[in-house]
Amino acid sequence: MENKKQFIKGILAGFLLTVLLGGVAFGGYRMLTQASDEKKAESGELNLTGTEVQGKLAEIQNLIEQYYLDEVDAEQVENYLYKGAVVGLGDAYAAYYTRDEYQSLQDSTNGSYCGIGVQVTQNMSTGIITATKIFEGSPAEEAGMLPGDVLYQVDSQEVTGEDLTQVVSRIKGEEHTTVMISIVREGQSDPMDLEVERRTIEVSTVEHRMLDGSIGYIAVSSFDDVTVNQFLDALNDLEAQGEESLIIDLRNNGGGLVSSVCQMLDRLLPEGLIVYTEDKYGHREEEYSDAENHFDKPLAVLVNGNSASASEIFAGAIKDYGIGTLVGTQTFGKGIVQKVYPLSDGTAVKLTVSKYYTPKGNNIHGIGIAPDVEVELDTDVANEVTIPEEKDNQLQKAIEVLTE
């Protein structure tokens, strides 16, 4: 009986508040809003709180109560009611987050999390989720995961086509618990099941070192809250070591926070426009670099097909200003911006709210950014956890460009 009460509460939560706030009984509310509902339906306007939707939900609820065989998880039904509303937009980047999923999303940008130490990306055309980086010494590496592995299932639930943030949330969990990851590896016909322990993973989104010939090297794996200071510290350290030219590696960087990439570009670009966005109303927001800093040494930026979103803002600005050479392969092509809106109960909704444009006014959505020097990574090293510097032909080409 308690389950049934919770279920009814869950199903009705989406529209009872509207009725109560109207200050009239449901029958009166139906009469007062019916004409408005009909007009909205004729115009194709979204109307999730109309009487027609309410009535249909009530019918579904009655049928479930009368005929559904198993126990009902009221919270799950309610969550999927909200998820379904967002999925119905047909936007692969939009999502509804439960409280736990929203907390996981926040944790992912805060410098540490409890997970398995793998970086993943999702092809929005196919929904396929692929491991792009396995952190050294991580539980994922110990379990045998490799870059290029396709995530097939997490704890026996298929993940292809699911929202990436929600999949990552399921992979994370309490420290020293385990998660069962099923992967598909190129050249193997059957999925592999890997039981992986969750541990605290310190997020280092920036790695740097000096290469031969006084060339500095900075690899940026994502644009998070912690990335800006890590990047600036790396840049200052390399300059203190006598760096004469620089390689910034954005390969397999799926993006992140626009605010972070703009702060990093402010350190590199001359004074001027970094990026601008336009929403559905044509409202334009612009981000600018100031005249305080300007990187004036030879620069190369490594990109590939997994360099997306904020990585493309970075690469697009470097290319438009002509202060560096892009080396690698065509970038992913994500020229739209999502914003996460917290809801009153601790959940959240992510919606696509604008398009972004490079300083010269290019929107690269569905197109990507072409490198100045195109180089495919050699296939014999593509799936290695760590590619030796001498075998990384894209890196070697960037060194060659700077040396010339």
Side-chain angles (χ1 to χ4, degrees):
M1 177 62 72
E2 186 60 32
N3 260 350
K4 182 175 178 180
K5 288 180 180 178
Q6 290 177 350
F7 174 64
I8 294 172
K9 179 182 178 183
I11 277 289
L12 295 178
F15 58 86
L16 277 183
L17 185 60
T18 305
V19 178
L20 294 173
L21 291 178
V24 293
F26 183 78
Y29 180 83
R30 181 185 296 274
M31 292 174 62
L32 289 171
T33 60
Q34 187 171 2
S36 175
D37 288 351
E38 289 175 355
K39 286 183 180 179
K40 288 183 177 181
E42 290 173 3
S43 67
E45 183 179 344
L46 184 65
N47 185 21
L48 297 180
T49 58
T51 54
E52 184 176 342
V53 174
Q54 296 174 14
K56 193 166 186 176
L57 281 173
E59 286 186 70
I60 293 172
Q61 178 181 318
N62 287 334
L63 290 170
I64 292 172
E65 290 175 353
Q66 290 183 58
Y67 303 115
Y68 185 65
L69 181 63
D70 296 326
E71 287 289 322
V72 172
D73 185 333
E75 183 178 4
Q76 178 172 289
V77 172
E78 183 178 344
N79 283 333
Y80 274 87
L81 189 65
Y82 307 138
K83 287 181 183 290
V86 179
V87 169
L89 296 173
D91 182 349
Y93 297 102
Y96 167 81
Y97 299 120
T98 65
R99 293 182 186 87
D100 290 343
E101 289 166 350
Y102 181 43
Q103 184 61 52
S104 176
L105 178 66
Q106 293 175 301
D107 291 344
S108 67
T109 65
N110 289 336
S112 66
Y113 65 93
C114 194
I116 64 174
V118 58
Q119 180 176 302
V120 294
T121 188
Q122 186 172 39
N123 184 310
M124 287 301 161
S125 299
T126 63
I128 292 174
I129 300 173
T130 305
T132 56
K133 180 178 180 179
I134 310 298
F135 297 129
E136 289 189 64
S138 67
E141 183 185 28
E142 294 170 5
M145 287 191 70
L146 296 174
D149 286 344
V150 171
L151 268 67
Y152 172 54
Q153 291 182 335
V154 175
D155 282 337
S156 301
Q157 294 184 35
E158 189 170 349
V159 298
T160 301
E162 290 197 23
D163 177 74
L164 185 59
T165 304
Q166 294 169 355
V167 174
V168 170
S169 176
R170 282 160 51 188
I171 294 174
K172 296 175 182 178
E174 293 185 14
E175 190 169 19
H176 303 309
T177 60
T178 60
V179 58
M180 186 64 72
I181 305 292
S182 181
I183 62 169
V184 176
R185 182 168 295 168
E186 187 176 358
Q188 298 185 5
S189 57
D190 296 323
M192 296 171 54
D193 292 330
L194 304 174
E195 187 175 14
V196 191
E197 181 187 17
R198 299 179 176 105
R199 295 204 295 264
T200 299
I201 306 295
E202 295 297 329
V203 180
S204 178
T205 59
V206 175
E207 299 174 3
H208 75 284
R209 64 181 184 272
M210 286 291 292
L211 306 177
D212 293 339
S214 300
I215 299 175
Y217 171 84
I218 301 177
V220 183
S221 60
S222 63
F223 294 95
D224 298 335
D225 285 330
V226 297
T227 306
V228 178
N229 287 335
Q230 291 177 2
F231 177 78
L232 296 177
D233 289 345
L235 194 56
N236 292 335
D237 182 51
L238 291 173
E239 290 180 341
Q241 294 183 55
E243 155 212 279
E244 296 178 1
S245 58
L246 178 64
I247 296 172
I248 298 176
D249 192 345
L250 300 182
R251 291 175 296 178
N252 301 321
N253 182 328
L257 303 177
V258 174
S259 58
S260 292
V261 71
C262 287
Q263 290 180 68
M264 293 160 66
L265 284 168
D266 184 32
R267 174 63 175 80
L268 302 174
L269 298 177
E271 184 177 10
L273 182 65
I274 297 175
V275 67
Y276 68 92
T277 62
E278 287 187 357
D279 65 15
K280 64 191 285 187
Y281 304 106
H283 297 154
R284 176 165 164 164
E285 294 187 6
E286 301 171 336
E287 295 289 341
Y288 284 89
S289 56
D290 57 34
E292 185 177 345
N293 297 293
H294 174 207
F295 190 81
D296 57 1
K297 301 172 184 177
L299 172 66
V301 179
L302 288 167
V303 293
N304 65 7
N306 291 323
S307 303
S309 193
S311 289
E312 293 172 296
I313 291 177
F314 194 108
I318 295 297
K319 186 168 187 175
D320 280 7
Y321 276 96
I323 68 167
T325 302
L326 303 189
V327 179
T329 56
Q330 190 96 356
T331 62
F332 182 82
K334 181 176 180 288
I336 50 178
V337 178
Q338 285 72 44
K339 185 174 181 180
V340 177
Y341 295 91
L343 303 179
S344 57
D345 61 351
T347 62
V349 171
K350 180 177 70 173
L351 299 174
T352 299
V353 296
S354 59
K355 297 178 181 179
Y356 76 75
Y357 297 82
T358 69
K360 288 187 175 180
N362 299 316
N363 177 256
I364 51 80
H365 191 64
I367 302 170
I369 300 173
D372 300 301
V373 180
E374 185 168 0
V375 185
E376 291 279 355
L377 183 64
D378 287 343
T379 56
D380 60 340
V381 297
N383 292 330
E384 293 190 23
V385 174
T386 303
I387 303 174
E389 182 181 313
E390 65 277 6
K391 292 184 178 181
D392 188 341
N393 62 304
Q394 291 178 326
L395 175 61
Q396 292 303 318
K397 175 55 73 172
I399 293 172
E400 180 185 322
V401 167
L402 294 179
T403 302
E404 292 174 350

